[in-house]
Amino acid sequence: GQQLNQSPQSMFIQEGEDVSMNCTSSSIFNTWLWYKQDPGEGPVLLIALYKAGELTSNGRLTAQFGITRKDSFLNISASIPSDVGIYFCAEQIQGAQKLVFGQGTRLTINP
Amino acid sequence: DAEITQSPRHKITETGRQVTLACHQTWNHNNMFWYRQDLGHGLRLIHYSYGVQDTNKGEVSDGYSVSRSNTEDLPLTLESAASSQTSVYFCASQGANTGELFFGEGSRLTVL
């Protein structure tokens, strides 16, 4: 089946640093989604990308849909303590409605 | 406000017992999903439904079943719980226009 490779698996950074994570796929997809999961809660959508090359920002978050349609990255600028959590990329399978998720990137921030 | 709720939030059971995790959404979404979350594996799809009386197997469906008798509910049943099914389970429903998934808060299941 489809595979999403998300990296890095974990990150330990200082407050104020910028963060970058990415996802790659073996297949071409039409939609990339980035979710964040706070401890003890379900994932929540951060950014959705629907077009190859699309660059979208949401506050300090920026995400891009790769031009090859097989990759995406998420950047967080000037990290703050509430950015701690697990970040997931997800793809919507072409011709279907279900989502496939990456393994997640666990972000830890040292104050 | 519309929402999605899961119950129970925490459950401990014994190997071989039948367990049902409830999921209820009030958005009137047709599409509902069950995922399990395990360290190193992210979120893996167990079963999903695109409407009443429709159910489909996901990538890790063995040992699980679902039923969809109405729009609001998609209960997940473990017929005979195994220790390998110790996990955190998330239910989600999907918005019709954007494809966005809205997740419940999760149900942590421990099988001893």
Side-chain angles (χ1 to χ4, degrees):
Chain A
Q2 287 83 3
Q3 285 205 333
L4 283 187
N5 294 310
Q6 187 171 349
S7 65
Q9 288 192 19
S10 60
M11 302 182 74
F12 298 84
I13 63 170
Q14 297 292 127
E15 183 177 349
E17 287 185 18
D18 296 342
V19 172
S20 184
M21 59 192 79
N22 68 82
C23 267
T24 59
S25 170
S26 56
S27 304
I28 292 174
F29 291 93
N30 292 330
T31 303
W32 280 98
L33 304 166
W34 284 94
Y35 282 79
K36 184 197 175 193
Q37 183 182 26
D38 289 327
E41 300 188 10
V44 173
L45 183 67
L46 296 175
I47 291 179
L49 303 161
Y50 299 105
K51 217 165 51 171
E54 181 179 353
L55 182 71
T56 297
S57 293
N58 179 4
R60 293 177 297 105
L61 276 60
T62 302
Q64 183 158 30
F65 192 148
I67 203 75
T68 64
R69 292 167 62 192
K70 290 187 175 182
D71 62 334
S72 176
F73 71 76
L74 175 70
N75 288 341
I76 306 172
S77 62
S79 59
I80 60 177
S82 62
D83 291 333
V84 163
I86 304 176
Y87 292 80
F88 292 100
C89 61
E91 291 179 323
Q92 189 161 25
I93 299 171
Q94 195 163 2
Q97 296 162 68
K98 57 186 178 180
L99 297 185
V100 174
F101 284 82
Q103 304 96 322
T105 296
R106 183 180 295 271
L107 180 62
T108 303
I109 298 175
N110 298 317
Chain B
D1 279 345
E3 60 180 8
I4 182 166
T5 54
Q6 293 182 230
S7 63
R9 294 292 312 278
H10 301 273
K11 185 167 181 68
I12 300 174
T13 191
E14 294 177 344
T15 302
R17 297 277 183 115
Q18 183 183 77
V19 176
T20 296
L21 305 179
C23 177
H24 180 81
Q25 53 99 1
T26 59
W27 283 296
N28 206 36
H29 288 161
N30 285 327
N31 298 355
M32 295 182 72
F33 305 82
W34 274 103
Y35 289 87
R36 61 178 287 176
Q37 183 177 19
D38 304 286
L39 212 58
H41 291 281
L43 293 160
R44 292 182 292 175
L45 184 62
I46 305 171
H47 279 287
Y48 58 102
S49 168
Y50 288 152
V52 176
Q53 302 302 332
D54 176 74
T55 61
N56 306 279
K57 293 181 178 180
E59 61 178 308
V60 289
S61 61
D62 286 350
Y64 303 95
S65 64
V66 293
S67 60
R68 190 85 182 273
S69 58
N70 59 54
T71 301
E72 294 81 17
D73 299 289
L74 186 71
L76 177 71
T77 297
L78 288 68
E79 298 294 343
S80 177
S83 57
S84 61
Q85 294 177 307
T86 293
S87 186
V88 181
Y89 292 86
F90 286 98
C91 178
S93 70
Q94 188 173 42
N97 296 326
T98 64
E100 176 181 356
L101 289 186
F102 297 89
F103 284 88
E105 293 183 315
S107 295
R108 182 177 293 275
L109 176 67
T110 302
V111 183
L112 301 176

